[in-house]
Each structure stands twice: as C-alpha cells, then as structure tokens.
Amino acid sequence: AKVCKWDDDEQLVFGWASVSTDGNSRLIVDSDGEMIEPDELEKAAYDYVLEFRDSGEMHAGKANGRMVESLMLTPEKAEKMGLPTAGLTGWWVGYKIDDAEVFGKVKDGTYGMFSIQGTAEAEA
C-alpha cells in the first residue's frame, strides 16, 4: 500500500490504500500480518467514502487531508475497463494534503504508504 505518485503544486498524493489479492487472485498478507477478503475491503472502501473522506496524521489529531479520488478495483471492473490487472483486488486513493509539513513527510519518505484504520474480528 505504498504511495505511488504525488503532485507538488497541488499537494496531492496517490496510491493503494490496501490490496487484497495479487494478480493471481491470491490473498495478500499486509504489513500488519493481516489479510482482508476482497468483499470486506470493497465494503470498507465504500463505507469510508460515504461516511468519512478525511485523513489525519498517523490516525490522530485533526484532519489534514481530503479524499479526491477513490477506486475499488476488482478483476471484474478491470476487465470491463480493459486493464491488464486480472486477479488484482485493491483500493486506490488520492488525497489533497492541506498541511505543507505533512505533505513534506510524504515527499521525504517519512510517510511512504497509506494506512487504513478500522476494526475487524480475527478468524481462526
């Protein structure tokens, strides 16, 4: 879920918020050692866009970024769009970072990835 692109002039940052399956439709273990089923990631992405859309620094403090882009990519959607990503399921996001200091931390690599915040129940 690394930051893939940014725009200096507009303080925009883009990348994968989470990737659930790889190009072979296999579940991916994330940096926290967890896996998110594709249907659960899709539900979480839609709920986030409907209810929140703001971002904070390290899940704390006031909001300092606003969502400008969200795409829940599934193999079915990729096929319909003609994209060569069959098997990949992931949530692509873009944010306008209002705080220049926080945007600087994205650019210098301090914040090199997105982190989705949520709750879940572990399955055995």
Side-chain angles (χ1 to χ4, degrees):
K2 293 185 179 184
V3 169
C4 297
K5 179 184 183 317
W6 65 77
D7 177 305
D8 288 324
D9 294 334
E10 298 294 325
Q11 290 189 190
L12 295 169
V13 59
F14 301 91
W16 293 105
S18 184
V19 177
S20 182
T21 61
D22 66 13
N24 294 311
S25 298
R26 294 179 298 221
L27 284 174
I28 293 175
V29 178
D30 69 16
S31 62
D32 290 325
E34 299 170 340
M35 295 182 290
I36 303 173
E37 292 287 339
D39 59 332
E40 292 297 321
L41 179 59
E42 189 166 20
K43 181 181 180 324
Y46 297 154
D47 286 348
Y48 178 84
V49 171
L50 288 170
E51 302 296 332
F52 302 105
R53 295 183 296 280
D54 291 336
S55 69
E57 186 174 3
M58 301 300 292
H59 305 288
K62 66 178 178 61
N64 55 34
R66 297 168 286 151
M67 179 174 270
V68 297
E69 187 168 289
S70 176
L71 170 65
M72 185 59 217
L73 185 66
T74 65
E76 297 81 13
K77 290 177 187 175
E79 179 183 350
K80 296 294 183 189
M81 294 186 313
L83 298 176
T85 57
L88 177 78
T89 301
W91 182 20
W92 176 268
V93 296
Y95 283 88
K96 165 95 171 144
I97 306 300
D98 298 311
D99 184 308
E101 184 177 328
V102 173
F103 185 70
K105 290 178 183 178
V106 172
K107 288 176 49 177
D108 73 13
T110 300
Y111 299 147
M113 67 177 64
F114 291 93
S115 175
I116 61 174
Q117 181 178 2
T119 59
E121 294 182 22
E123 293 182 0

